[in-house]
Amino acid sequence: MASVFGSFGSSRRGALPGVPDSGDRRPRIDGYPVDRIPEVIAEARRGRRRRVTTIGEEVLARPCREVTRFGTPGLKALVDDLHATMAVCHGVGLAANQIGVDLRVFVYDCEDSYGIRHVGHVVNPVLETALEGSGRSTGRDTAEEGCLSVPGPVANVQRARVAAVRGVDLFGKPVRIEATGVLARCLQHECDHLDGTLYLDRLGGRDRSKVLKALPELQERTWAAWDARALELGKQTSAQLSPEPPDVDDVPAPLVAAGAGAGAEDLDAGIVDYDPAAYAEAQPTPEVEELPAEASYDDARPAELPEEDESPRA
């Protein structure tokens, strides 16, 4: 699989011991089951391709800041641009600092160990690598992993077989994504990025040296493949991209002006103030009404925070 990680080796498929199986094989958008997901989702079509930051850039080597305001046009544009850039680069996941934005946001589009496609984003993610409520690990796997910010080379990296991420979506609604297979590896990889860690930092000296030695030649071929895909998707080629990252803050007016279609007077419309308790106690995705076959990514989640209730949190 060509991906944000480069090429994966074999990944464990099917059920894992001790991991519950819902039996529902429908694809998921932000954890919600839907009948189908378009190959290229609406966010990727709307979004702008951005320059991918590469190893050595300072933004990749420090922890990112938490998002503190939700529902802004700029935050939505950031998620769109991440999806668009990921699609151009044949990716399965992409963190905000990989396009130069110092915020704790990532997107993903990949399969779990059952072959189920998962698409979505997480804001202010918190990683878990044990079965919920048990504190028990389900073991670790070693597989090939790469990175769009180290374009081309791959190396074997050990990760937990099962992982979960809790956080919120761009509207501030709590989400929790449970994962096996490639998706579990993706969640761990992207959370590493937001903590300022590259997969290279998990390698021994010899393997790290091999990756860095192979990088100059392989990155040129990788960048050429990205440009070919960009033309297929109607996006800018690398020669047309701005060398500067989008100037994004919690209310990123420059990004809005660059293509979100909203003026400065619209920036406060729908903004939700940050509530740390809302995502610290994020719960598994609730049951929702079935979406139509042509449902877009946007249709899968409510535009408002859910009402507070007194039911136990899972």
Side-chain angles (χ1 to χ4, degrees):
M1 175 189 293
S3 73
V4 67
F5 307 126
S7 298
F8 269 85
S10 60
S11 180
R12 182 182 291 266
R13 304 285 291 189
L16 295 178
V19 179
D21 177 10
S22 70
D24 188 340
R25 297 295 185 260
R26 289 177 296 173
R28 308 290 201 272
I29 296 178
D30 281 344
Y32 293 98
V34 296
D35 289 335
R36 65 177 297 274
I37 302 174
E39 179 182 357
V40 180
I41 64 173
E43 280 74 5
R45 294 195 300 270
R46 282 197 307 261
R48 300 180 62 184
R49 180 190 179 186
R50 297 291 183 176
R51 184 186 71 86
V52 175
T53 53
T54 55
I55 182 172
E57 295 190 51
E58 197 268 338
V59 71
L60 292 173
R62 66 171 188 260
C64 294
R65 296 177 296 117
E66 288 193 342
V67 174
T68 59
R69 305 190 81 193
F70 301 95
T72 67
L75 185 57
K76 185 172 183 178
L78 173 61
V79 170
D80 287 355
D81 289 355
L82 284 168
H83 274 293
T85 305
M86 180 174 65
V88 165
C89 300
H90 306 281
V92 300
L94 190 65
N97 58 349
Q98 290 185 273
I99 61 170
V101 178
D102 179 27
L103 289 174
R104 296 187 70 82
V105 182
F106 72 79
V107 300
Y108 59 91
D109 185 346
C110 56
E111 294 183 349
D112 63 16
S113 63
Y114 299 98
I116 299 170
R117 183 184 177 192
H118 294 253
V119 179
H121 72 279
V122 185
V123 180
N124 296 340
V126 177
L127 179 67
E128 303 169 0
T129 55
L131 287 175
E132 184 180 14
S134 71
R136 179 167 60 85
S137 170
T138 56
R140 302 178 71 81
D141 275 334
T142 298
E144 284 189 338
E145 196 168 306
C147 180
L148 292 182
S149 293
V150 190
V154 298
N156 283 326
V157 179
Q158 189 178 81
R159 301 276 189 188
R161 291 176 183 168
V162 176
V165 162
R166 56 185 170 87
V168 296
D169 69 7
L170 64 89
F171 300 105
K173 185 185 82 66
V175 296
R176 188 175 189 275
I177 307 299
E178 298 181 345
T180 59
V182 173
L183 179 61
R185 184 167 290 269
C186 173
L187 298 184
Q188 294 169 78
H189 183 108
E190 302 312 325
C191 285
D192 268 359
H193 270 303
L194 300 181
D195 290 334
T197 300
L198 297 176
Y199 86 97
L200 288 181
D201 300 323
R202 296 187 174 274
L203 302 180
R206 180 175 296 180
D207 287 339
R208 182 184 176 95
S209 295
K210 287 180 180 178
V211 168
L212 294 176
K213 183 177 180 180
L215 179 61
E217 177 183 353
L218 293 180
Q219 73 181 4
E220 295 299 328
R221 280 189 265 164
T222 301
W223 288 337
W226 294 356
D227 276 348
R229 180 59 172 162
L231 292 175
E232 292 176 2
L233 295 176
K235 305 296 184 183
Q236 292 177 310
T237 64
S238 56
Q240 299 169 311
L241 297 177
S242 168
E244 299 298 322
D247 185 9
V248 180
D249 206 334
D250 285 341
V251 185
L255 185 56
V256 172
E265 67 278 6
D266 298 320
L267 285 175
D268 287 327
I271 291 174
V272 179
D273 286 334
Y274 172 58
D275 177 5
Y279 86 86
E281 299 183 8
Q283 58 184 339
T285 303
E287 294 292 330
V288 295
E289 185 178 349
E290 292 266 341
L291 297 175
E294 298 299 324
S296 75
Y297 183 17
D298 288 331
D299 294 331
R301 53 180 181 260
E304 298 179 356
L305 285 168
E307 294 183 5
E308 191 67 30
D309 64 48
E310 301 300 324
S311 59
R313 302 284 181 172

